[in-house]
Amino acid sequence: ELHPALQAALEKMGAGKPYHHQAEVVKLALAGHNVALTTGTASGKTLAFLVPAFERMLVHPESTAILIYPTKALAWDQFHTASQLKALLGKDDEFFQVAKYDGDTSTGEKKKIRASGCNLLLTNPDELHAAVLQHHGLWKRFLENLQYIILDEVHAYSGYFGSNVALVIRRLRAVCEKYGNSPTFIAASATMDNARDHLKALTGAPVKVIKRD
C-alpha cells in the first residue's frame, strides 16, 4: 500500500518485505496513532519510523518530520540511513530534503536549512529548545506541516534529563498547536519494559506499544 517509489527503494535496500512489527508501526503511524516500538537491537526500528515519514512526504511534499536523538553521534548515524533511503527514491533536493541540525552545523548552513524548506530534520533536545522553539517564527512552515515527532533511544530520557526533555516536548506540542497542528509521535527503544507509562510521561500523550519482535 506504500507509494511505488518508496516500495521500490525499500526493495533495493533488501527491505521490501517488512517484519510484522515494522508493518504494525507503519500502519498505526499512517493512521495517526502515537506508537512506541520496543523490539530488540538490530530489529529494523529505523525503517519502521522512517517509512511513514517518507510516505507522507511522497504523497504530500509539504509534509515534515523531526527526528530527535539524545546525542549528536546517534543523529549522525541515522542521518546517513535517512539520506541513503532518500537517494534511492530518486528525488532531487527540490522535492524534499534531509538535514542534520545541531551544534556542529554552521550558522550559514542553518540559514540555508531554514530557508530551503527542509522536510526531514534530525536534531537533539537542546538544539530543538534553543534554535527551533526559541525562534519558532522562522520555522512556521515546518511546524505547520509537521506530521511526525520521532523520538529514538527514548530510554535515555530519565531523571533530570528526562524531565527537561519532557518539558521541551510539551513546548513543541504547544507551538505546533499555535500553528493549528497536532503531530503524531513515533518512539523507539530496545531497552524498555514500561514503554506506555514512560512515553505518556515524556510526551503527555497516550501511545500504542508494539513489543512483539
Side-chain angles (χ1 to χ4, degrees), residues 29-32 51-61 63 147-148:
L30 289 176
V51 167
F54 275 68
E55 174 71 13
R56 281 283 180 260
M57 293 170 200
L58 285 165
V59 177
H60 303 287
S63 297
Q147 295 291 311
Y148 295 111

Side-chain angles (χ1 to χ4, degrees), residues 22-194:
Q22 291 175 316
E24 285 297 299
V25 171
V26 172
K27 288 178 181 179
L28 287 169
L30 289 176
H33 296 289
N34 301 316
V35 57
L37 177 61
T38 61
T39 53
T41 301
S43 59
K45 290 186 288 296
T46 298
L47 282 180
F49 55 69
L50 282 181
V51 167
F54 275 68
E55 174 71 13
R56 281 283 180 260
M57 293 170 200
L58 285 165
V59 177
H60 303 287
E62 72 281 1
S63 297
T64 64
I66 187 167
L67 279 71
I68 303 171
Y69 292 89
T71 68
K72 290 190 290 184
L74 287 168
W76 261 113
D77 185 52
Q78 299 302 328
F79 172 73
H80 292 304
T81 302
S83 298
Q84 177 190 13
L85 180 55
K86 185 227 169 184
L88 289 173
L89 292 174
K91 302 294 185 181
D92 59 29
D93 286 343
E94 294 299 317
F95 190 81
F96 66 79
Q97 295 186 46
V98 175
K100 188 174 67 66
Y101 201 96
D102 60 27
D104 291 334
T105 309
S106 68
T107 301
E109 186 64 24
K110 285 181 176 180
K111 287 182 179 178
K112 286 201 297 186
I113 290 170
R114 291 195 301 267
S116 65
C118 172
N119 294 86
L120 188 68
L121 191 74
L122 291 88
T123 190
N124 56 68
D126 289 337
E127 197 72 17
L128 172 63
H129 170 71
V132 178
L133 299 178
Q134 188 75 7
H135 308 284
H136 58 79
L138 300 175
W139 295 87
K140 182 174 182 291
R141 186 206 66 84
F142 184 90
L143 296 168
E144 282 178 333
N145 295 288
L146 186 60
Q147 295 291 311
Y148 295 111
I149 300 171
I150 300 169
L151 301 164
D152 201 3
E153 306 292 341
V154 288
H155 61 274
Y157 301 128
S158 62
Y160 290 118
F161 179 43
S163 298
N164 180 60
V165 174
L167 292 174
V168 172
I169 295 300
R170 281 158 176 75
R171 188 182 182 196
L172 173 58
R173 291 182 67 190
V175 171
C176 287
E177 287 174 8
K178 171 184 173 67
Y179 293 120
N181 190 16
S182 181
T184 297
F185 284 97
I186 308 176
S189 172
T191 57
M192 288 188 66
D193 294 324
N194 62 333

